[in-house]
Amino acid sequence: MNKSYYYDVTKWNVGDPFEDVGIVINSIIKDIKAKQNNSDSNNGGKPGAVIYLPPADYHLKTQVKIDISFLKIVGSGHGFTSSSIRFNVPKEEWADLHELWPGGSRILNELSADKEKSEEEMAAFLVKRQGDPRISSVEFSNFCIDGVHFLDDGSDEPNFENTYVNGKTGIYVASAQDSFKFTGMGLVYLEHGITVYNADALTIHDNFVAECGNCIELRGWGQASKVTDNLIGAGFKGYSIYAENFAQLLVTANNIFPRGKSIIHLKAVTRSLISNNILHSFYPGMVILDDNSSENMVTANHFLRDHEPWKPMQIHDNHLQDDFGLLSIKGNDNSIIGNHFSEIIDEKYLKPAGVEPVIIRVKAGSRNYISNNYFVAAEANAKTGESAYSAQIDSLLLVEDRKQLSIMTVYIDDLANANTVLDSGSDLQVKLDKAKNAFRAVPTI
């Protein structure tokens, strides 16, 4: 029996990886299954394999279907570059650009767009296997998946490359699984970057997932997983990080930038931790604990809410009002401790006009503990610009003396009770029923 299972897609004897890498990888998986057909041979038998993608552009017209454990697909470079910036540069200037497309070990998802096709069918990689045990230890590492173009969605967006809609997914894990890893990946211009159902001991670490309609979606249920040290930024219609029915989820050390409709959205998530993240958004509703998300801790994060400075994207938002809260809670026994919130925005951009922005809002729930959070609120005096990079940097670095903005640091709705708010706003900045909730104000000067 062949004792080594290392495959280079450029050296495989079936298909042309540059024309359709899907055919090549599926053929390799077929070969692995044929050679590893004994589940118990000398205390082993199915060690899995490595499939290597050298740096190149690989067109994918056939979906890769993975149904074996212990498979690692690895490249030599995540290859991310901003397609959004390039597609908003006039075409007559493209000839002067050093690069036009993402690079590295790059797979172009060219599955035919069809409104009748499901997310599962439009994924470059589909992981799906029924039966026991769960599929385990599949790894995706250090390559790029590019959706190439977005499509006209019938909206008022004049440039269809800004719609974040094309039906395409990078990696779709449809079956319950154990110990999957996504590391060092680059995903760009996909409507859905990474979608995983029923995850256990999942690692999503050190990836660059941006300019996707939705970046990371943990669906179904899950436990004991981590989303750490990633650079993430979704489109205005979707999630940067979404999880549902999850327990023991660690979300830490991520840098999540605009312009997702939410930064982190947890639905019915329990006993999990959001910590030490840099969170930046152009809209309210940055972090949402929804649908009785309980016993979670949100701590030591930096929240920044400001206004979209890049002209091509200023027609878009997430349709939430500024009294929604940067952090919105529907759940019990959550700890919100030691976060920094910066609301840096000119009053003319607040919705509805004249609203006092809310930073932390408890819409429903009991025994939530909110303590020692710090708030900065001021007008931005920011300028808009045609260049995404320079407009954004100029906006972020502006810290001159500005007019202070009146905010509500904490708002406890009438449906919520028995919550505690300590040192997270003055008497004038916190709204709650003191007969039903405990409160200690920050002293004022």
Side-chain angles (χ1 to χ4, degrees):
M1 184 178 75
N2 186 350
K3 300 294 184 180
S4 177
Y5 295 97
Y6 175 89
Y7 298 82
D8 182 329
V9 297
T10 65
K11 297 178 180 179
W12 187 240
N13 57 14
V14 175
D16 182 341
F18 307 109
E19 291 296 321
D20 189 353
V21 73
I23 289 175
V24 176
I25 296 176
N26 284 335
S27 174
I28 291 172
I29 292 172
K30 182 178 179 181
D31 184 73
I32 297 165
K33 292 166 71 174
K35 291 176 178 176
Q36 298 181 14
N37 57 13
N38 187 342
S39 62
D40 188 13
S41 173
N42 193 27
N43 294 327
K46 291 189 175 184
V50 170
I51 299 175
Y52 177 57
L53 299 158
D57 292 322
Y58 301 99
H59 297 265
L60 182 144
K61 300 178 176 68
T62 302
Q63 182 180 72
V64 175
K65 298 182 178 180
I66 297 172
D67 61 355
I68 58 173
S69 294
F70 319 123
L71 178 67
K72 181 171 186 174
I73 301 177
V74 61
S76 289
H78 70 73
F80 183 93
T81 193
S82 175
S83 292
S84 179
I85 292 177
R86 193 263 290 181
F87 281 129
N88 285 278
V89 170
K91 284 189 177 182
E92 56 268 23
E93 298 179 18
W94 288 8
D96 298 324
L97 300 178
H98 293 294
E99 298 95 23
L100 285 179
W101 300 100
S105 300
R106 174 177 172 239
I107 289 179
L108 291 74
N109 182 341
E110 295 179 344
L111 296 175
S112 178
D114 185 338
K115 292 182 180 180
E116 301 302 317
K117 289 184 178 179
S118 65
E119 288 179 36
E120 181 176 311
E121 293 172 303
M122 290 296 291
F125 291 85
L126 172 64
V127 182
K128 190 173 185 178
R129 186 178 79 179
Q130 304 303 320
D132 294 318
R134 298 169 296 175
I135 189 169
S136 298
S137 299
V138 175
E139 300 183 44
F140 299 87
S141 181
N142 206 27
F143 66 95
C144 176
I145 306 176
D146 183 3
V148 188
H149 292 286
F150 289 127
L151 304 174
D152 186 353
D153 65 350
S155 69
D156 58 358
E157 170 55 61
N159 182 353
F160 62 78
E161 296 289 5
N162 293 337
T163 65
Y164 295 95
V165 171
N166 61 12
K168 297 178 182 179
T169 297
I171 302 166
Y172 191 101
V173 182
S175 304
Q177 84 294 150
D178 188 16
S179 58
F180 272 38
K181 293 181 73 174
F182 300 81
T183 57
M185 294 290 293
L187 294 104
V188 60
Y189 260 53
L190 299 153
E191 189 167 341
H192 302 272
I194 297 171
T195 300
V196 181
Y197 279 85
N198 305 343
D200 190 357
L202 168 70
T203 294
I204 300 178
H205 177 78
D206 193 26
N207 302 284
F208 204 114
V209 190
E211 297 180 5
C212 292
N214 302 268
C215 292
I216 296 169
E217 298 166 89
L218 308 181
R219 301 183 187 170
W221 50 258
Q223 66 171 354
S225 297
K226 61 181 182 179
V227 180
T228 57
D229 202 22
N230 301 284
L231 292 153
I232 305 170
F236 55 88
K237 297 178 179 178
Y239 307 107
S240 287
I241 297 175
Y242 172 81
E244 62 186 19
N245 305 308
F246 230 94
Q248 297 286 279
L249 175 64
L250 174 64
V251 181
T252 195
N254 300 286
N255 197 317
I256 309 179
F257 37 84
R259 52 190 60 82
K261 73 175 183 181
S262 65
I263 300 295
I264 301 171
H265 190 137
L266 305 184
K267 182 178 181 182
V269 170
T270 62
R271 303 182 178 102
S272 296
L273 175 63
I274 300 173
S275 68
N276 297 88
N277 299 286
I278 295 288
L279 310 175
H280 180 199
S281 179
F282 298 141
Y283 321 126
M286 293 177 65
V287 174
I288 300 174
L289 307 184
D290 203 7
D291 198 15
N292 200 32
S293 289
S294 298
E295 296 180 50
N296 302 293
M297 174 174 272
V298 181
T299 186
N301 300 285
H302 189 288
F303 290 72
L304 169 62
R305 149 79 159 124
D306 57 7
H307 182 65
E308 170 73 74
W310 192 30
K311 285 185 178 179
M313 290 294 184
Q314 287 180 338
I315 64 173
H316 301 296
D317 64 21
N318 68 351
H319 307 295
L320 293 179
Q321 305 288 346
D322 281 286
D323 59 0
F324 183 88
L326 300 188
L327 169 57
S328 174
I329 301 168
K330 289 182 179 178
N332 305 305
D333 300 297
N334 297 291
S335 296
I336 315 299
I337 302 172
N339 299 282
H340 177 107
F341 295 87
S342 288
E343 175 101 7
I344 310 299
I345 189 168
D346 295 335
E347 287 185 3
K348 65 183 179 181
Y349 297 125
L350 298 174
K351 297 180 180 179
V355 70
E356 191 173 40
V358 175
I359 308 302
I360 300 172
R361 184 162 182 178
V362 180
K363 296 184 175 180
S366 301
R367 300 176 304 281
N368 294 290
Y369 182 79
I370 300 168
S371 178
N372 287 88
N373 298 283
Y374 185 69
F375 305 86
V376 177
E379 292 210 345
N381 302 325
K383 298 178 181 179
T384 61
E386 299 290 348
S387 167
Y389 178 75
S390 62
Q392 185 64 65
I393 295 299
D394 290 346
S395 174
L396 288 172
L397 294 179
L398 189 64
V399 291
E400 64 187 25
D401 286 338
R402 302 149 291 184
K403 176 185 174 183
Q404 296 300 294
L405 189 68
S406 177
I407 60 169
M408 193 174 298
T409 58
V410 182
Y411 183 1
I412 309 292
D413 282 31
D414 290 339
L415 292 176
N417 59 77
N419 299 284
T420 299
V421 180
L422 304 177
D423 303 323
S424 295
S426 68
D427 275 305
L428 295 176
Q429 291 176 316
V430 176
K431 182 178 179 180
L432 51 71
D433 184 340
K434 293 181 182 178
K436 297 194 299 181
N437 301 278
F439 173 58
R440 184 176 69 201
V442 171
T444 57
I445 298 172

